[in-house]
Amino acid sequence: MSTAGKVIRCKAAVLWELKKPFSIEEVEVAPPKAYEVRIKMVATGICHSDEYVVTGDFAVTLPVILGHEGAGIVESIGEGVTAVKPGDKVIPLCLPQCGTCVVCKHPEANNCVRLRMNNPRWTRQDGTTRFTCRGKPVYHVIHTSTFSEYTVVDEISIVKIDAAAPLEKVCLIGCGFTTGYGSAVKVAKVTPGSTCAVFGLGGVGLSTVIGCKAAGAARIIGVDINKSKFAKAKALGATECISPQDFQKPIHEVLMEMSGGGVDFSFEAIGQIDTVLEALLSCHEAFGVSVVIGEPPDSQKVSVDPMLLLTGRTWKGTFFGGFKSKDSVPELVTDVMANKFPLDLLITNVLPFEKVNEGFDLLRSGKSVRTILKF
C-alpha cells in the first residue's frame, strides 16, 4: 500500500533535553510539501557535530532530531520536485546547493545562501516542521535529521546516487569523508612532495589523511592524544604520528623542528580553539597553508596576532571540504564504488539504529572512528 501523501508513523531518536540520552520515540512524519522529498533512511553515521548539539555547544531548538550523514531511498516527493523520484537511492545534503544564488554560481564557493547550514529556525523553508511527537513539533537539524526511519528534506538538500551504491558505506560521503578529503585536495590543494600535519585523527581527520596521500604528499604527520588511532592513521597514509602529551613544549614547536621550519599544510579537524592556533603556528610562516575544518563550540572565539599572517601564511576554513554538494557527491560515490578510497577502514562499528546511545558512548570514549547506524 502506498504511503505517498499520508502521515507516516515511525521510530526516531529524539533529543528532548541537552546532555541527556536520546529517546527512541514513535514520531509522525508529515508528507513532503512542494519542492520537498520524504526519504526512507537506510543508514546514518554518527558525527562529532551531533555530539556538540547534545552537549549544548551548538545551539538548537528542542526537541530535535539530529543526524546529517545518511543515505536512503526516496519514498515520495512533493509538488514540483524534478531532481529525484520515488525509489531513487539518495544522500541528503547537510550543505544544500540551489544552483542559482551568488555562492552556488561562484566556481570556488559552496556555502549556499538560500538555505544556510546554520538555519536558526531549525525548520523547513516555510518555517514549520514535518516531525511531530507526543503532540509537539520536533525540529530539524542541518536540513537532514537522519536519526529517523523517515525524514523530509528540501529538494536542494538531496542528490540521487548510483542505484548500486552500498548505502551503509557511502552515507559517510554525506559529511565526514567529503569534509576531510576535500579539505586536502580542494581547499588546501596539497601539492606532491609536500609535508602535511593533521590535527585530530577521527573520521574527518583520517579522511584528510586520505586526501593528503591522494594529492601526493611526501610526509603526513598525524597529531592526536589518543595513540590507539595511530595504527589506522598509518594504514590510511600517515607517515608518522605524534601525541602532544609526549612533549614538554607546544606541539607546533615540535612540528616546526620535524619539518625544518614549519609544515607546508596543516589541518585542524578537532574543533577546539587551542588546536586551531597550534595548527596555524605549525605551518611555515612564509608559505604555509592552514585549514580549519573542525567547528569550535558557538561560544568560543579566536584571537590572533596579525603578524602570523603578514609573514605569508594562508589561513582558510571550509564546510564540506569545499565541494559543491549536488555536483560532487555522486562523483565521490562513483569513486568509492571503484575502490579509489578505503572507506571501509573508517567504519569501526555498525549498530542497529535503536542503539544510538551506545554509538555516542563509543564516540565519547574515543573507541570509534565512525559508527554506522542501520535501520
Side-chain angles (χ1 to χ4, degrees):
M1 182 181 295
S2 174
T3 51
K6 302 176 183 177
V7 171
I8 290 178
R9 289 177 174 82
C10 68
K11 291 181 180 179
V14 179
L15 184 69
W16 292 95
E17 298 180 65
L18 299 179
K19 302 179 182 178
K20 298 290 185 180
F22 294 91
S23 177
I24 302 299
E25 303 272 5
E26 181 180 86
V27 300
E28 296 179 344
V29 185
K33 294 187 178 181
Y35 304 106
E36 293 180 348
V37 179
R38 189 160 60 184
I39 310 167
K40 178 179 174 60
M41 298 306 303
V42 172
T44 183
I46 296 177
C47 177
H48 208 279
S49 297
D50 296 312
E51 169 68 357
Y52 276 154
V53 175
V54 175
T55 59
D57 290 314
F58 288 163
V60 300
T61 303
L62 298 174
V64 69
I65 295 174
L66 303 183
H68 60 276
E69 189 179 73
I73 299 169
V74 174
E75 175 270 336
S76 61
I77 59 176
E79 180 183 354
V81 171
T82 59
V84 296
K85 65 183 185 302
D88 284 345
K89 284 188 176 182
V90 293
I91 289 180
L93 304 171
C94 59
L95 188 70
Q97 184 183 347
C98 73
T100 59
C101 73
V102 63
V103 173
C104 287
K105 288 182 176 180
H106 192 286
E108 297 298 324
N110 70 344
N111 192 15
C112 180
V113 171
R114 184 172 162 193
L115 202 58
R116 291 287 194 182
M117 284 186 72
N118 57 341
N119 167 20
R121 297 182 301 173
W122 306 107
T123 62
R124 298 276 56 86
Q125 289 193 65
D126 65 357
T128 65
T129 75
R130 302 293 169 268
F131 297 119
T132 306
C133 183
R134 303 182 194 175
K136 298 179 180 180
V138 179
Y139 292 90
H140 303 251
V141 72
I142 322 183
H143 316 304
T144 49
S145 293
T146 59
F147 290 176
S148 175
E149 291 179 321
Y150 288 84
T151 190
V152 176
V153 303
D154 292 282
E155 184 180 23
I156 64 174
S157 299
I158 191 171
V159 68
K160 179 182 177 180
I161 59 172
D162 194 309
L167 299 183
E168 70 281 358
K169 181 189 298 187
V170 300
C171 61
L172 295 182
I173 294 175
C175 178
F177 174 76
T178 305
T179 298
Y181 177 77
S183 295
V185 302
K186 189 168 181 62
V187 179
K189 295 180 171 60
V190 169
T191 53
S194 60
T195 297
C196 303
V198 179
F199 287 69
L201 298 175
V204 173
L206 291 176
S207 298
T208 307
V209 169
I210 293 172
C212 292
K213 180 180 179 181
R219 291 182 74 188
I220 305 170
I221 306 168
V223 182
D224 203 300
I225 60 174
N226 186 347
K227 292 184 179 180
S228 68
K229 296 180 179 180
F230 289 179
K232 185 163 298 247
K234 290 179 179 179
L236 289 169
T239 54
E240 53 219 290
C241 296
I242 58 176
S243 169
Q245 295 178 337
D246 289 342
F247 302 92
Q248 300 299 315
K249 61 181 72 174
I251 199 66
H252 76 267
E253 294 183 10
V254 176
L255 288 165
M256 289 175 70
E257 292 173 1
M258 292 176 66
S259 59
V263 299
D264 299 298
F265 302 95
S266 66
F267 303 88
E268 201 281 350
I270 301 171
Q272 297 180 0
I273 293 300
D274 56 347
T275 46
V276 166
L277 291 174
E278 285 295 302
L280 177 64
L281 288 165
S282 71
C283 72
H284 199 285
E285 66 175 7
F287 50 76
V289 175
S290 187
V291 180
V292 180
I293 311 172
E295 298 179 51
D298 288 341
S299 60
Q300 295 186 11
K301 309 297 179 185
V302 63
S303 178
V304 176
D305 181 353
M307 189 56 68
L308 294 178
L309 304 177
L310 290 172
T311 56
R313 288 183 179 91
T314 299
W315 201 16
K316 309 178 81 171
T318 178
F319 277 143
F320 208 62
F323 285 113
K324 292 184 183 292
S325 55
K326 277 183 175 282
D327 293 344
S328 301
V329 165
E331 296 175 357
L332 291 170
V333 169
T334 298
D335 287 343
V336 167
M337 294 177 68
N339 295 315
K340 292 186 178 180
F341 310 121
L343 277 196
D344 288 334
L345 291 179
L346 297 177
I347 300 172
T348 48
N349 305 87
V350 179
L351 297 173
F353 164 67
E354 290 81 0
K355 293 188 176 182
V356 57
N357 288 309
E358 182 179 327
F360 273 82
D361 288 341
L362 288 167
L363 172 70
R364 294 164 188 144
S365 69
K367 296 177 180 178
S368 170
V369 174
R370 263 303 188 271
T371 294
I372 302 299
L373 303 175
K374 294 182 68 174
F375 293 89

